[in-house]
């Protein structure tokens, strides 16, 4: 957890449970809270010409659109629960008080935001790759690194082929074909429908 839950509760935090596919917030809404994920999985996306583009997937212990809690900007993305997810919400004005009153949290948040900017730069790099195998491999490596899985350990990819298509910008058929090729080349392992890196 980025910020201790007990500390968040002292600043009027509430827990909210979201069902799979339930919206947490939408593009253009005013950001009124700081959000920290207690459990579950959230996708950050936007819809372009009725097509979903997944910008990121965030897991337990992480935050979503934390910068919005520090600015007056509106949400640039949708946040949608992928599976049942519990989120801790702190009113924005109370979150600012929390940071002001807790220098250690402020320092931790600065490091977290710097790491997030770095990760976003890595994430954007895969869009410049033309090869479907290279682009999908980079996406899988990104999430393996994000989960701090050692290079020699197998990482169970928690995404469907449809989600990988949305993240990579390729058609689902291209992703299916690419996954099969990657398995044949032993870049990844397949066990049934599960993908391992």
């Amino acid at each position: 957890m980025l910020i201790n839950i007990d500390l968040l509760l002292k600043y009027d935090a509430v827990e909210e449970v979201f069902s799979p596919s339930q919206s947490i917030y939408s593009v253009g809404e005013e950001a009124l809270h700081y959000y920290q994920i207690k459990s579950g999985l959230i996708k950050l996306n936007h819809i372009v010409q009725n097509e979903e583009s997944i910008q990121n997937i965030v897991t337990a212990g992480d935050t979503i659109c934390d910068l919005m809690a520090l600015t007056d900007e509106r949400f640039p993305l949708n946040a949608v629960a992928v599976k049942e997810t519990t989120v801790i919400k702190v009113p924005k004005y109370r979150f600012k008080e929390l940071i002001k009153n807790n220098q250690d949290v402020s320092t931790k948040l600065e490091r977290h935001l710097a790491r997030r900017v770095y990760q976003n730069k890595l994430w954007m790099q895969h869009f410049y790759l033309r090869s479907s195998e290279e682009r999908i491999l980079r996406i899988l490596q990104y999430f393996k690194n994000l989960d701090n899985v050692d290079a020699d350990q197998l990482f169970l990819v928690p995404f469907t082929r449809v989600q990988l298509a949305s993240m990579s910008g390729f058609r689902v058929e291209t992703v299916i074909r690419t996954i099969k090729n990657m398995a044949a080349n032993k870049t990844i392992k397949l066990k049934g429908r599960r993908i391992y890196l």
Side-chain angles (χ1 to χ4, degrees):
M1 286 285 165
L2 180 63
I3 302 175
N4 182 284
I5 294 174
D6 290 334
L7 180 59
L8 293 174
L9 292 171
K10 289 179 183 176
Y11 286 84
D12 303 331
V14 294
E15 286 188 15
E16 193 169 343
V17 179
F18 294 88
S19 303
S21 300
Q22 187 177 358
S23 174
I24 296 155
Y25 56 74
S26 299
V27 169
E29 283 183 16
E30 186 179 357
L32 300 175
H33 296 88
Y34 163 82
Y35 297 87
Q36 188 165 291
I37 306 167
K38 183 176 181 183
S39 64
L41 197 67
I42 294 172
K43 64 182 174 181
L44 302 176
N45 71 7
H46 67 273
I47 309 298
V48 179
Q49 297 176 345
N50 294 324
E51 295 253 337
E52 179 184 41
S53 175
I54 297 175
Q55 301 297 304
N56 206 345
I57 303 277
V58 286
T59 59
D62 210 341
T63 62
I64 49 175
C65 278
D66 32 27
L67 285 175
M68 301 302 101
L70 302 172
T71 70
D72 293 326
E73 304 296 331
R74 293 179 176 270
F75 290 119
L77 299 168
N78 302 305
V80 181
V82 175
K83 59 183 182 180
E84 185 171 291
T85 299
T86 302
V87 173
I88 300 168
K89 295 170 35 175
V90 179
K92 185 185 212 174
Y93 75 96
R94 293 290 283 151
F95 181 67
K96 289 179 179 178
E97 291 173 12
L98 185 155
I99 291 171
K100 183 179 178 183
N101 297 336
N102 296 274
Q103 182 60 42
D104 58 324
V105 171
S106 179
T107 301
K108 195 173 181 182
L109 185 62
E110 285 173 8
R111 287 190 189 132
H112 172 75
L113 293 174
R115 185 167 184 254
R116 175 72 55 81
V117 169
Y118 174 72
Q119 289 169 343
N120 285 342
K121 297 294 183 192
L122 292 178
W123 176 256
M124 292 305 296
Q125 289 177 0
H126 83 263
F127 286 106
Y128 298 105
L129 301 169
R130 295 190 186 273
S131 159
S132 59
E133 287 191 28
E134 185 65 25
R135 191 181 297 183
I136 290 170
L137 179 61
R138 286 276 184 95
I139 290 170
L140 300 182
Q141 288 171 333
Y142 171 84
F143 285 105
K144 183 173 182 174
N145 290 338
L146 203 59
D147 275 7
N148 294 316
V149 177
D150 291 335
D152 58 339
Q153 290 183 316
L154 281 181
F155 168 66
L156 172 61
V157 176
F159 311 117
T160 66
R161 282 139 180 88
V162 172
Q163 288 171 323
L164 287 173
S166 179
M167 285 186 259
S168 66
F170 292 121
R171 294 182 152 300
V172 176
E173 297 81 8
T174 302
V175 171
I176 291 169
R177 189 173 52 252
T178 301
I179 293 294
K180 287 179 183 174
N181 290 341
M182 292 171 74
N185 296 334
K186 300 189 179 189
T187 308
I188 61 169
K189 292 184 180 185
L190 291 179
K191 293 181 182 177
R193 295 203 39 83
R194 294 176 181 237
I195 304 168
Y196 292 86
L197 176 65

